[in-house]
Amino acid sequence: MSLDEVQDVRTPDAAATPATPATPATPDIPDTPGTPAASPKPGAWAALRPLLLRVHFYAGILIAPLLFLAAATGLLYAGSWQAEKIVYSGELTVARVGESTVPLSAQLTAARATVPGGKVVGVWPAPDSESTTRVIMEVPGLEEGQTRTVFVDPYTAHVNGVLTTEGDALPLRAWLSEFHSSLHLGEFGRNYSELAASWLWVVALGGLALWIGRRRSRKALLVLPDRAAAGRRKTLSWHGTVGLWAVAGLVGLSATGLTWSKYAGENIGQLQDGLGGATPSVSAALTPGSEAGSDAHAGHTGHTMPDGMEMPATPPAADIGIDRAVAAARAAGVTHELRVTLPAKGNGYVIKEQDKQLPVHLDSVAVDPADGRIIDELRFADYPLLAKLTRFGIDLHMGKTFGLANQIALGALALAVMFLVFWGYRMWWLRRPTKDRALSVGRAQPRGAWRKVPAAVLLPLAAVTAVVGWFVPLLGISLVAFLAVDVLLGAVAARRAA
């Protein structure tokens, strides 16, 4: 979707045309050179298009660097899943597949001996015959959200290695995740990614409307680049068709990215809860009034937050042990990629599935540590629809749902954004008034386009914009800032003209 969809109908190549005064919005010309421009059909679209062009132009010019940065870091994150398997193969895989595994309790003993000062907060049994068991430990001195993970060979109880992790992410992916979400600038840095996500859907949908609304000589040019075109028209053709194919994915990335953003994410969470779509959690309380389970929005605050990870306090006096607890969970149908949270005071074991590839396995149970009785169970099938959609959307954004295919698709979308930004700036450059002014650039759509929009369209549009700007705060604040700067520049230009 173009940073510079504005067509200059004075000549086929505006880059070779001397500068002329700005003129009112002109209609699109057909994609076949030499075809005369026709008068626009009267109506709401003809009046709305110049306004959309101006918003799309300025949003692209000012937000495109953030979009490019988010896409580049997202591309690295999409590849981190496979890179992680290569870099940490020694920790993640066993040296030799044995005939039988040792009890989880023995694997826990080996992990505790390796990290004497650590407190075990979770155990992730080996998900397949070639993987190691992960023992998650809380260790003093680590940053918030970090744990020490001990990788244990389930056949021999030999410790393959120890790494500092964040959720399910090993150091490489954890670093790239933070780089993508905040550029390692802390809370301040998160504003960059939220601002990019806030504008991505606006730029994408606005560009889609502009591209579909163009008149063209052949319908195929809507979905395929015009190979006969040259110069700026060729760049526009590639920009529009690639944007058309990518728009659904870009809107999806924007929506899911906003769910764990700082400001818009809080509003989305409140709306979801208000509509009865909060993510439920299994209750592990052993006594009435005890609180258990995870926060309804756990896992929505960042790429590496584990689902339902709890820090246990004093363990209960009577404990059947992790092996019998896991056996009870398996007997209850909780079997795929288990995550075991050890019992805390007043709480039992929490055992959850975390297989997020389709078909998903996300059931969970709570087990009484005294006798192995199932205290509570929660099936993913019983989740509210909104909770299911949120789960699917976030996992698609992170590259989990379809595994490698999902990660390749994310990489393709990231590359698409980077090329769209490049093509947009190139069109802006090619539309400069004259080649003699090497540092000049193309002009934006003239001011005052909103005055031509019928009141029946303008007033509802303004109301929707205000609501969206309140719900997505960084979008609203930046839009007001854009308008203020535009008014100031207009005033300066008018004063100079006078």
Side-chain angles (χ1 to χ4, degrees):
M1 308 335 186
S2 172
L3 294 177
D4 180 17
E5 171 73 9
V6 183
Q7 283 286 12
D8 190 333
V9 299
R10 293 172 297 222
T11 64
D13 186 0
T17 306
T20 57
T23 59
T26 54
D28 285 318
I29 59 177
D31 291 293
T32 301
T35 303
S39 299
K41 295 181 179 180
W45 171 247
L48 185 60
R49 182 177 177 278
L51 177 62
L52 187 57
L53 281 169
R54 187 166 178 82
V55 173
H56 189 70
F57 176 85
Y58 275 116
I61 293 295
L62 300 174
I63 300 298
L66 298 182
L67 295 178
F68 188 94
L69 189 57
T73 57
L75 178 63
L76 294 175
Y77 181 79
S80 68
W81 294 90
Q82 303 306 316
E84 192 175 65
K85 296 177 181 179
I86 298 173
V87 175
Y88 304 109
S89 60
E91 289 83 2
L92 294 172
T93 58
V94 298
R96 183 178 65 86
V97 177
E99 297 182 357
S100 60
T101 61
V102 300
L104 283 172
S105 55
Q107 299 178 49
L108 271 176
T109 300
R112 287 190 173 106
T114 304
V115 186
K119 179 192 297 182
V120 176
V121 297
V123 180
W124 301 359
D128 55 59
S129 60
E130 297 181 349
S131 298
T132 54
T133 294
R134 301 192 195 188
V135 179
I136 317 299
M137 309 186 78
E138 184 184 25
V139 177
L142 295 179
E143 296 181 6
E144 183 180 358
Q146 292 185 337
T147 54
R148 294 287 282 174
T149 298
V150 183
F151 299 84
V152 184
D153 189 322
Y155 302 103
T156 63
H158 174 265
V159 174
N160 285 19
V162 182
L163 295 172
T164 299
T165 56
E166 295 183 29
D168 66 348
L170 305 189
L172 174 62
R173 183 156 60 88
W175 192 92
L176 290 174
S177 172
E178 184 67 20
F179 187 44
H180 175 57
S181 62
S182 70
L183 303 178
H184 289 278
L185 297 177
E187 287 298 316
F188 174 79
R190 289 184 64 186
N191 293 330
Y192 115 84
S193 58
E194 182 169 353
L195 188 60
S198 298
W199 275 97
L200 178 58
W201 67 275
V202 177
V203 175
L205 292 180
L208 176 66
L210 291 170
W211 183 245
I212 292 177
R214 288 174 57 83
R215 294 196 306 280
R216 44 186 53 85
S217 59
R218 291 183 291 125
K219 292 183 179 180
L221 297 180
L222 174 67
V223 296
L224 296 174
D226 185 0
R227 297 189 177 184
R232 195 178 75 87
R233 188 177 296 279
K234 180 179 180 180
T235 304
L236 175 61
S237 178
W238 276 98
H239 184 95
T241 52
V242 170
L244 176 71
W245 286 104
V247 66
L250 299 183
V251 173
L253 286 176
S254 175
T256 53
L258 287 174
T259 59
W260 60 64
S261 62
K262 182 176 181 180
Y263 302 106
E266 182 178 350
N267 290 336
I268 291 172
Q270 292 176 356
L271 177 62
Q272 182 178 343
D273 294 349
L275 295 175
T279 302
S281 59
V282 67
S283 173
L286 300 176
T287 56
S290 298
E291 295 183 359
S294 62
D295 182 84
H297 296 286
H300 296 200
T301 56
H303 287 190
T304 58
M305 287 295 292
D307 292 308
M309 179 61 71
E310 303 166 21
M311 300 300 182
T314 305
D319 190 349
I320 59 174
I322 188 172
D323 293 287
R324 289 182 59 186
V326 169
R330 293 186 186 277
V334 178
T335 59
H336 293 76
E337 289 195 25
L338 300 184
R339 303 286 191 265
V340 182
T341 300
L342 300 188
K345 184 177 181 180
N347 291 342
Y349 286 92
V350 176
I351 304 176
K352 299 184 175 186
E353 294 178 322
Q354 286 299 305
D355 181 7
K356 296 178 179 179
Q357 294 194 36
L358 291 178
V360 299
H361 299 91
L362 295 172
D363 297 341
S364 58
V365 295
V367 180
D368 191 325
D371 53 15
R373 176 176 54 89
I374 301 298
I375 305 169
D376 188 25
E377 62 181 68
L378 176 63
R379 305 296 173 180
F380 184 68
D382 297 328
Y383 276 37
L385 178 60
L386 279 178
K388 289 180 180 178
L389 293 177
T390 301
R391 181 75 272 161
F392 285 135
I394 289 176
D395 292 338
L396 280 169
H397 187 117
M398 295 176 65
K400 293 182 177 181
T401 303
F402 298 107
L404 179 59
N406 197 164
Q407 293 146 26
I408 292 174
L410 289 175
L413 281 174
L415 287 173
V417 171
M418 295 166 72
F419 275 106
L420 290 171
V421 170
F422 169 75
W423 287 324
Y425 278 116
R426 175 172 170 76
M427 285 186 291
W428 188 35
W429 170 257
L430 291 176
R431 208 171 56 82
R432 63 193 189 277
T434 173
K435 291 182 179 179
D436 296 333
R437 296 172 59 191
L439 298 180
S440 63
V441 291
R443 292 186 299 274
Q445 183 74 13
R447 293 183 177 87
W450 63 272
R451 297 188 182 95
K452 301 177 183 179
V453 181
V457 176
L458 183 62
L459 293 179
L461 180 62
V464 170
T465 302
V467 171
V468 172
W470 174 85
F471 192 77
V472 186
L474 291 191
L475 174 64
I477 293 172
S478 57
L479 179 58
V480 170
F482 292 168
L483 293 175
V485 171
D486 192 48
V487 169
L488 179 61
L489 292 177
V492 171
R495 185 173 182 178
R496 287 178 177 176

